[in-house]
Amino acid sequence: MPTTLPRSLVKGYHPAALFRPRSLVLIGDPVQPEAPILAANIAAGGFRGNAWAIGIEALGLRPVESVEALPEAPDLAVLCLPPAALEPTMAALARRGCHAAIIPGPAPDLGAISARTGVRALGQGSFGLCIPAIGLNASLSHIAPATGRLALVTQSAALARAVLDWAAAERLGFSHVIGIGGNATLGFAASLDWLARDAATGAVLLDLRRVRNRRAFISAARAAARTRPVMAIRAGGRTADASGLDDAVMEAALRRAGVLRLAGLEDLLAATETLGRVRLRPAAPGPQGEPPATRIGIVTNGIGLGHLAADAVIAGGGTLARLRPESLAAFQVLMPSGWVVGNPLSLGPLAGPRLAEAAAMLAGLPEVDTVLALHAPAPGEAPPDAADAAAEAMIAAARAGGGRAAPILVGWVGQATAGRQRRAMAEAGLAVFATPEAAARGALHLAADRRNRAAAAELPSREVLELAPDRAAARRILAGARAAGRLALTVEEGLGLLAAYGIPAVPGRRAAGPEEAAAAAAMLGFPVVVKVLSPDIPMKSEIGGVVAGLASAEAVRAAAQTMLARIPAARPGARIEGLLVQRQAARALELRLRLGEEAMFGPWIGFGPGASFAAVAGEEGLDLPPLNLALAHQLIARSGAARLLAGFRGRRPADHGAVAEALVRLSQIAVDFPEIAGLTIDPLFADADGVLAVDAALTLRPQGEVGELSIPPYPAELARPFRLRSGEVLEIRPIRPEDAAALAEAFRRLDPEDIRRRFFSPLKELSPVLTARLTQIDYDREMAFVGCTADGAIQGVARLIRDPMAPAAEFAVIVAKAMKGQGLGRHLMERLFEWGREAGVTEIAGQVLTENRPMLEFVRRLGFSLRRSPEEEEVMEARLLL
């Protein structure tokens, strides 16, 4: 069922008015520097719609005296005005019925002006908007972009001009160029929401500086990345944070959304050359568990080029395809007599069109995901027509796959004779490079994009870590610290909170001085560790604030006395709040788990080696909460601690599952207590028997401040029981990613006719992509309630998808045949209505086949009104005001 909503369901601003306008007005003050540029570009673009101008003359734009005098309400307004004139003009536009604008100049209070007038805008400082397919060039560009499948969303006018200039030389075109500027009201999320549903967009390029709404951005980016490559760069990340932590958090956020993070403009252009041109075939798993789309086959007319490309692939973390014996035998007929067949595959300098033939054969092999075809000028190709024939054959080979074969990336090396052929291949739509290393980098970009998007849509196992934390105990601990006027908790308090969430913590007791410490040690049992308690000393061991291996009361007393005498001298002014005596845990692998916050994407979770290894660059993996077990295992695998968990120097492997559970529990703490500013567990001991938290540092935010997660957590509080008419009780709860297998099983049990009526086509199976889409949802903008039996079998699903730009939503519902007549469908819909009202939805719509009389009667009884769709005779539109 389509997710777009009829225009009649929304009021005021609608995305189509901005991103597919049918009419526009340029309102300009000729004194503004942007006004003449925009006037000339709009006039020259050949816009396929009505275009007017107010206050400025422009050839091809019909002059109008005022907003009120416009013959009709324009979809889009371009405002080149001084800041003081913006609000009255936007108010006039709103009264006339125009609610979308572009503001290329300064607009210091644009967010507030938009809120007051109801006009949503790109800006301030917007580069403008280009939609070549409809002849719209309302931008500050020096060059008109060609029509194509790329979309560029940028905050930088300079970067936009650079990309457009490069793309023109590379014969690449655009579906959209969107300059969001200051991102005040319409920015990345609104643009990505539109592009995610735009069939003309094949790949998206993002220039990220400031994300205003982290949740909306991640949600929209994920929606776009499900169906096309989305790539992002960030200028100024290291300038703002030299440590690189902010950049690492952003990369983690983009990874969760399925977006490919690139290093800079050069990397962006290289990735665009590849991802903007090629289409991948459906991925098949690699041998021995290798991820898909990483196995690269190389064919060349010179083995030196092949080796350079192979080295670049391996150095970049890629994999050379291992060709099967039957595949190798098939290539023997193309090889010079006596040459060895392998990967790279060298056909010799006189290969000519045979190079293209071999590339096509490689592309058809199931064990090859991407082909690099490398060509150097050869003596036998000296006549231009011979070299041209080789290039034309390569164009035909690259086009022949049609999405069924692996993509062919071409490295056509040289300039004097090869440059013209390279341009011809680029014009034909091939991804073509001037060096073997650049071609290899293109293949690696393909692999990275495919892995990123596959990981974001990975179907987790059924396993769910059922948490039952003692939230009341945790609240008491935090309240006690605030009552004492502290934002920093003691180690004892921090470990107590971890224990409340099921993370095993070493037993300990607080002591005021040496005598109490000795008594506490006797109660805990020897050996023990004594630590100083001070909110001003985070790294206690560095100044003798931790003493381990104390085997008697006398040893504890002496260590405590020495510690309390040494610390004031080492750290004058540090507050000493006593001592912590802990039973000494057996030595094990030391890990560090962290919860912190980054300005753009909010709370994050870090995992890596603990103690002295904790600060080693690149050893810590990062992700965003909330985490489930599948995401926790992925985080562990990305960290430098993964190889340590596997066992080393005779040490047995640690309990990987226990570590993953600890990460999920830490994630739940972040969800439940957004007033926590930071929490570090260091070390967390891990061995074959499990994990044990030994030290914890926790700080709170000032009273009233809370952190906002980039990704909404699972709303477990919405789960409730429901009794069927038969007396059987089902659990009604929001769907979750771990329901993937259960949903697929439920689909297979459905009546084929019910499937056809629900999806408007006969489906035999839910594809992995569709399963991920239906189970991995954004709970802020979408809800799906499932009815489950005690064994987890799904008996019915009802879904409500909000329009992100309007208080409207679309519904869908389906119930197992055995459950019909039991009241389940009605109850699921009523739960959706309840959620929709809470979420601000005011109107619900859906489409039902006219032949589906049971569903039509069902929605009538729920209060929906019905009318025949004006676009589709066999479809009825159902609507309900909440």
Side-chain angles (χ1 to χ4, degrees):
M1 187 176 292
T3 58
T4 55
L5 297 168
R7 288 178 68 97
S8 58
L9 279 185
V10 294
K11 307 293 191 295
Y13 169 77
H14 191 277
L18 175 64
F19 297 116
R20 200 74 179 181
R22 295 164 298 189
S23 57
L24 67 86
V25 60
L26 171 64
I27 306 177
D29 181 342
V31 175
Q32 299 297 310
E34 301 88 2
I37 301 172
L38 278 157
N41 282 346
I42 293 172
F47 176 59
R48 298 182 183 92
N50 292 326
W52 301 280
I54 298 174
I56 187 170
E57 293 184 4
L59 187 65
L61 276 66
R62 285 183 282 169
V64 179
E65 290 185 1
S66 66
V67 171
E68 292 74 14
L70 285 165
E72 63 182 66
D75 280 340
L76 176 63
V78 183
L79 307 180
C80 297
L81 298 169
L86 287 173
E87 183 159 0
T89 304
M90 291 168 69
L93 286 165
R95 289 192 296 271
R96 191 67 181 84
C98 176
H99 297 272
I102 298 170
I103 301 179
D109 200 24
L110 181 56
I113 294 173
S114 286
R116 290 193 291 267
T117 63
V119 177
R120 310 290 296 277
L122 294 174
Q124 62 177 341
S126 170
F127 173 72
L129 178 66
C130 301
I131 309 173
I134 60 173
L136 178 63
N137 182 9
S139 79
L140 299 174
S141 178
H142 66 298
I143 187 171
T147 302
R149 294 181 54 77
L150 284 174
L152 172 65
V153 185
T154 178
Q155 293 186 272
S156 167
L159 185 139
R161 285 190 290 270
V163 171
L164 291 177
D165 201 284
W166 168 83
E170 293 295 316
R171 308 300 196 271
L172 282 166
F174 292 82
S175 66
H176 297 76
V177 178
I178 305 170
I180 66 170
N183 193 14
T185 65
L186 292 175
F188 289 110
S191 302
L192 286 166
D193 274 326
W194 176 266
L195 296 173
R197 296 178 285 185
D198 180 47
T201 297
V204 181
L205 318 178
L206 301 177
D207 159 39
L208 294 174
R209 306 294 174 85
R210 169 180 171 264
V211 171
R212 182 170 48 87
N213 186 325
R214 62 184 64 145
R215 277 201 178 182
F217 169 78
I218 292 292
S219 175
R222 188 172 188 175
R226 287 185 192 277
T227 54
R228 71 212 72 207
V230 180
M231 301 161 275
I233 62 171
R234 180 190 192 183
R238 286 285 181 155
T239 306
D241 173 33
S243 73
L245 178 63
D246 287 358
D247 256 9
V249 172
M250 188 186 83
E251 187 163 347
L254 296 177
R255 185 189 307 113
R256 281 290 284 272
V259 175
L260 178 61
R261 167 72 193 283
L262 300 169
L265 181 58
E266 181 180 2
D267 210 22
L268 178 71
L269 299 181
T272 302
E273 177 69 30
T274 306
L275 297 169
R277 294 186 188 274
V278 305
R279 299 186 184 183
L280 293 175
R281 66 181 176 187
Q288 300 179 5
E290 289 177 6
T294 63
R295 302 163 300 174
I296 298 169
I298 302 173
V299 61
T300 177
N301 71 343
I303 192 60
L305 297 184
H307 284 156
L308 286 173
D311 287 347
V313 166
I314 294 168
T319 304
L320 294 177
R322 293 192 289 271
L323 302 183
R324 298 169 299 166
E326 56 269 32
S327 300
L328 293 171
F331 285 105
Q332 195 67 60
V333 296
L334 298 176
M335 305 286 291
S337 177
W339 285 43
V340 177
V341 181
N343 186 18
L345 181 70
S346 177
L347 305 184
L350 303 181
R354 285 187 296 122
L355 182 65
E357 183 181 350
M361 290 173 62
L362 270 178
L365 298 178
E367 66 264 38
V368 175
D369 298 304
T370 305
V371 174
L372 299 185
L374 310 174
H375 176 277
E381 294 177 346
D385 54 350
D388 289 348
E392 289 168 5
M394 190 61 69
I395 292 171
R399 287 175 169 174
R404 298 181 301 276
I408 298 174
L409 277 56
V410 180
W412 210 263
V413 182
Q415 185 59 40
T417 61
R420 182 170 57 84
Q421 294 139 19
R422 204 162 48 239
R423 286 191 296 275
M425 285 187 277
E427 289 176 359
L430 273 64
V432 59
F433 304 86
T435 67
E437 293 87 354
R441 189 161 60 245
L444 294 172
H445 283 140
L446 277 181
D449 171 68
R450 190 64 167 277
R451 281 197 305 270
N452 256 24
R453 294 197 286 143
E458 183 175 345
L459 300 179
S461 71
R462 296 174 186 263
E463 185 181 8
V464 176
L465 180 60
E466 298 291 352
L467 300 176
D470 189 344
R471 293 183 174 90
R475 279 193 289 269
R476 286 194 297 271
I477 291 171
L478 299 182
R482 288 198 187 275
R486 291 183 286 112
L487 295 181
L489 274 67
T490 66
V491 175
E492 182 183 20
E493 290 168 332
L495 292 175
L497 187 139
L498 297 180
Y501 272 75
I503 299 176
V506 65
R509 288 181 176 271
R510 192 183 182 112
E515 292 302 328
E516 285 189 27
M523 294 180 66
L524 290 169
F526 297 101
V528 298
V529 177
V530 175
K531 301 176 181 179
V532 66
L533 290 176
S534 171
D536 303 321
I537 308 174
M539 302 296 290
K540 307 174 189 66
S541 59
E542 292 183 355
I543 59 169
V546 179
V547 180
L550 302 174
S552 66
E554 292 75 16
V556 170
R557 191 178 295 109
Q561 290 171 344
T562 302
M563 185 182 299
L564 291 175
R566 180 191 303 123
I567 300 297
R571 290 288 174 86
R575 292 168 289 173
I576 307 299
E577 298 179 348
L579 302 165
L580 179 66
V581 183
Q582 293 176 302
R583 182 183 298 166
Q584 183 162 322
R587 301 300 295 176
L589 174 62
E590 296 185 17
L591 304 172
R592 182 176 74 170
L593 282 63
R594 292 203 292 165
L595 172 64
E597 179 157 17
E598 189 263 345
M600 189 181 298
F601 290 104
W604 52 265
I605 287 176
F607 172 77
S612 58
F613 297 102
V616 177
E619 292 294 296
E620 185 174 42
L622 295 174
D623 209 328
L624 304 184
L627 299 179
N628 58 20
L629 285 172
L631 292 169
H633 283 295
Q634 292 173 19
L635 172 57
I636 292 168
R638 288 194 302 271
S639 77
R643 61 184 183 276
L644 303 178
L645 286 170
F648 63 100
R649 296 179 183 174
R651 191 189 297 269
R652 293 167 59 201
D655 187 340
H656 201 284
V659 176
E661 286 192 12
L663 284 165
V664 175
R665 295 179 189 278
L666 177 61
S667 168
Q668 192 61 44
I669 291 173
V671 170
D672 290 346
F673 295 102
E675 64 264 43
I676 293 177
L679 198 169
T680 299
I681 309 172
D682 187 14
L684 177 81
F685 283 173
D687 60 18
D689 298 319
V691 298
L692 186 66
V694 177
D695 207 340
L698 189 155
T699 57
L700 297 171
R701 304 173 193 274
Q703 190 72 45
E705 290 186 11
V706 294
E708 182 189 46
L709 303 183
S710 286
I711 301 169
Y714 179 71
E717 69 279 3
L718 297 181
R720 298 178 201 163
F722 172 67
R723 186 177 297 276
L724 300 172
R725 290 171 184 154
S726 66
E728 183 180 2
V729 176
L730 302 184
E731 181 185 35
I732 309 299
R733 58 167 176 79
I735 202 165
R736 56 192 175 200
E738 294 87 351
D739 288 323
L743 186 68
E745 291 168 1
F747 184 87
R748 287 191 286 271
R749 294 195 302 269
L750 288 173
D751 186 307
E753 186 63 12
D754 286 345
I755 293 173
R756 185 186 68 81
R757 289 171 172 174
R758 160 64 179 87
F759 292 94
F760 289 20
S761 64
L763 294 178
K764 294 183 178 179
E765 291 282 339
L766 285 180
S767 69
V769 171
L770 182 56
T771 303
R773 169 67 189 87
L774 295 175
T775 55
Q776 300 175 20
I777 66 174
D778 177 348
Y779 299 107
D780 275 353
R781 67 163 66 179
E782 181 178 354
M783 179 53 66
F785 283 108
V786 293
C788 300
T789 56
D791 61 358
I794 294 175
Q795 302 298 327
V797 185
R799 187 176 304 272
L800 197 63
I801 303 173
R802 294 177 60 192
D803 185 321
M805 306 304 298
E810 185 176 25
F811 79 91
V813 61
I814 194 165
V815 172
K817 188 174 183 179
M819 290 290 158
K820 291 182 178 180
Q822 294 290 318
L824 177 59
R826 184 181 189 90
H827 181 74
L828 288 170
M829 290 295 291
E830 288 172 346
R831 290 296 309 275
L832 282 185
F833 299 162
E834 180 184 328
W835 177 85
R837 292 186 186 98
E838 289 290 325
V841 175
T842 60
E843 195 166 8
I844 295 176
Q847 294 181 323
V848 183
L849 290 174
T850 54
E851 66 182 78
N852 192 353
R853 297 189 179 279
M855 178 59 72
L856 291 174
E857 181 58 29
F858 173 72
V859 296
R860 274 197 194 95
R861 291 198 302 268
L862 285 170
F864 283 81
S865 63
L866 292 167
R867 72 164 190 173
R868 194 173 297 276
S869 169
E871 289 87 16
E872 299 174 273
E873 179 68 19
E874 70 278 10
V875 172
M876 298 291 288
E877 291 181 354
R879 298 183 185 179
L880 176 69
L881 292 174
L882 288 185

